[in-house]
Amino acid sequence: MSVIENSKLAIVGAGAVGTSLAYAALIRESAREVALYDINSTKVAAEVLDLAHGTQFTGASRVTGGDDLDVVSDANIVVITAGARQHPGQSRLDMAGVNVEILRDLMPKLVERAPDAIFVLVTNPVDVLAVAAQQFSGLPPARVFGSGTVLDSSRLRWMLSERVGVAISNVHALIVGEHGDSEFPLWSQARIGPISLADWMLTRSAGGSASSPGPVPFTEAEFESIANDVKNAAYRVIEGKGATNYAIGLSGARIVEAVLRDEGAILPVSSVLTDYRGVSGVALSVPSVIDASGIARVIDVPFSPKEQALFEHSAATLRASLDTLGLA
């Protein structure tokens, strides 16, 4: 499926995440034009040049950009990566206040220049900022949403694929809730191929104890360990290299493609919910159908009683942050 004719992706922020997203979008041919904006004129000019110099190898895409916000004009989709950087030991919610104020100024200007665009937040804390951006833009939640747990779910699928020894494309599992410390895997709906994860049998060489008579199922302790590894993955990367950028760039490009190709793809993005399993007024990640209109549908997925309780806890965590920021 090809991208819509003359499709334009605008990226706000030429830091590590924004430039990784631009690079991923170019090599994946996610959009016909990639426009990069940043207030740092020297930095953004250099990034645009560096990316443009490689376009011989990336198909028909072109790269534009600069420090004038007009570079986003008439974009089909705008991805916002600008904001305070997360430092080692700092939670995503710690950055909320500064980034909310950035959006308060930025969103009306972006909507003025790209009135028909879909807006995707990648800046953390993405769930809080999805609420803020939706309020400041005046657009419906279907057109202003966060990247949510698309990356977290990819991390989960990678860990499971390594654990069971199958291709990651055959692992079907999602992280839902907050993109942060209260997120959790939707284990009740997870599958390896056509087999539920609860029924999947592990060989002893893949992790069963030496005393096991044969293949064994996952244990609750293993589920808990994997969930914790996913939850802490970003902190490990930030501690080692200062930022997460490649994987979030790729996952951002995947969301862009779902919109520009009008795919109807199911992705766990973060949007402001209305009576979703009893939760309203906060942005949390749940499986959603993404097409050219943005979020075409939020899917009502069955939760186990434990998952419902975790989801309500995640909602309460976000609501407390929104209250503190005056966004509730």
Side-chain angles (χ1 to χ4, degrees):
M1 190 179 296
S2 61
V3 298
I4 58 177
E5 186 177 1
N6 294 325
S7 58
K8 179 176 178 179
L9 159 65
I11 300 169
V12 177
V17 174
T19 53
S20 293
L21 171 56
Y23 180 62
L26 284 173
I27 62 176
R28 289 173 60 92
E29 298 184 31
S30 305
R32 177 67 180 83
E33 178 182 352
V34 177
L36 190 61
Y37 165 79
D38 198 280
I39 58 174
N40 186 331
S41 57
T42 303
K43 174 76 158 57
V44 71
E47 295 289 2
V48 168
L49 271 181
D50 197 12
L51 290 164
H53 291 163
T55 51
Q56 174 189 342
F57 314 110
T58 61
S61 298
R62 66 187 289 255
V63 185
T64 59
D67 63 349
D68 186 334
L69 202 56
D70 285 344
V71 301
V72 312
S73 294
D74 300 322
N76 302 98
I77 185 167
V78 178
V79 181
I80 300 167
T81 71
R85 183 174 177 177
Q86 187 175 4
H87 298 291
Q90 185 180 39
S91 77
R92 297 179 178 98
L93 291 178
D94 289 338
M95 301 178 290
V98 173
N99 290 338
V100 163
E101 292 310 308
I102 290 173
L103 285 182
R104 191 186 303 275
D105 175 67
L106 186 61
M107 285 307 302
K109 297 176 180 177
L110 292 175
V111 173
E112 179 184 0
R113 289 165 172 80
D116 299 320
I118 304 301
F119 294 87
V120 179
L121 280 295
V122 175
T123 308
N124 281 318
V126 71
D127 307 295
V128 171
L129 297 185
V131 175
Q134 191 267 319
Q135 290 185 11
F136 300 152
S137 69
L139 298 174
R143 288 184 53 197
V144 186
F145 55 90
S147 56
T149 56
V150 174
L151 173 53
D152 308 80
S153 297
S154 179
R155 289 167 174 154
L156 174 64
R157 292 175 64 177
W158 175 76
M159 290 177 189
L160 287 171
S161 74
E162 292 287 298
R163 180 70 177 82
V164 303
V166 304
I168 192 170
S169 59
N170 296 121
V171 178
H172 308 286
L174 296 172
I175 297 287
V176 296
E178 177 197 5
H179 172 58
D181 295 340
S182 69
E183 68 184 29
F184 61 96
L186 202 59
W187 291 127
S188 66
Q189 305 301 320
R191 294 181 294 112
I192 306 294
I195 302 172
S196 73
L197 202 60
D199 293 331
W200 184 268
M201 303 301 285
L202 300 161
T203 63
R204 281 183 289 175
S205 61
S209 67
S211 61
S212 300
V216 294
F218 277 95
T219 65
E220 284 299 320
E222 286 177 297
F223 283 147
E224 188 70 24
S225 176
I226 292 169
N228 284 331
D229 285 346
V230 172
K231 189 182 302 183
N232 294 316
Y235 299 129
R236 288 187 60 192
V237 174
I238 292 168
E239 183 179 3
K241 57 175 275 189
T244 59
N245 59 303
Y246 298 127
I248 186 59
L250 286 164
S251 59
R254 179 67 192 95
I255 297 169
V256 168
E257 291 157 12
V259 172
L260 295 183
R261 297 173 183 174
D262 196 20
E263 286 184 2
I266 297 175
L267 296 170
V269 296
S270 177
S271 63
V272 180
L273 301 176
T274 300
D275 196 22
Y276 185 90
R277 305 198 63 84
V279 170
S280 297
V282 298
L284 294 173
S285 291
V286 294
S288 305
V289 179
I290 309 299
D291 64 13
S293 68
I295 297 178
R297 176 187 168 199
V298 177
I299 300 173
D300 188 6
V301 183
F303 284 12
S304 71
K306 180 180 179 180
E307 290 163 350
Q308 179 67 31
L310 289 171
F311 190 67
E312 291 172 4
H313 170 67
S314 203
T317 300
L318 267 298
R319 191 169 288 110
S321 293
L322 294 174
D323 286 341
T324 301
L325 295 163
L327 295 171

